[in-house]
Amino acid sequence: MPSAKLQRLSEAEEGARFRIEQLHIEDKTMKRRLLDLGFVPGCEITVLQKSPLGDPTAYRVSNTTIALRKEESDYIYGERIRDDNK
């Protein structure tokens, strides 16, 4: 269970920098896919852009742009580092 101070990646706003703390995924295939894409604890990512309808969202992970659906990013927890828009 994630701690109270952590937020879901899907809740982060565009431009936010986010440090992944935990992945809470029971589906082993989805967890392996996200880990292979670079969504690992300790990794810092940037929320680049949400699609016009809000799903999927593009993230910058290790100098690569990756789009995730909300149902995938709901399982990734972490904390916001800073907001590049402010």
Side-chain angles (χ1 to χ4, degrees):
M1 189 104 192
S3 82
K5 71 173 188 162
L6 298 180
Q7 77 176 76
R8 294 174 192 253
L9 178 58
S10 61
E11 297 169 348
E13 298 295 323
E14 286 185 30
R17 300 256 316 142
F18 193 86
R19 179 179 298 116
I20 296 173
E21 297 292 332
Q22 304 169 357
L23 278 74
H24 288 280
I25 305 169
E26 292 186 22
D27 180 345
K28 293 181 190 226
T29 303
M30 182 189 296
K31 185 172 186 173
R32 172 58 29 208
R33 178 178 171 264
L34 290 174
L35 290 170
D36 289 345
L37 289 171
F39 291 89
V40 296
C43 179
E44 295 181 11
I45 64 174
T46 304
V47 182
L48 296 178
Q49 181 178 3
K50 295 189 181 219
S51 70
L53 297 176
D55 198 27
T57 300
Y59 301 97
R60 169 76 59 194
V61 182
S62 301
N63 295 321
T64 303
T65 302
I66 298 172
L68 292 182
R69 296 178 302 223
K70 183 179 182 309
E71 65 188 54
E72 297 164 328
S73 58
D74 275 346
Y75 296 110
I76 301 171
Y77 291 85
E79 60 184 344
R80 194 168 81 183
I81 300 169
R82 75 172 191 267
D83 191 337
D84 289 341
N85 291 332
K86 295 182 180 179

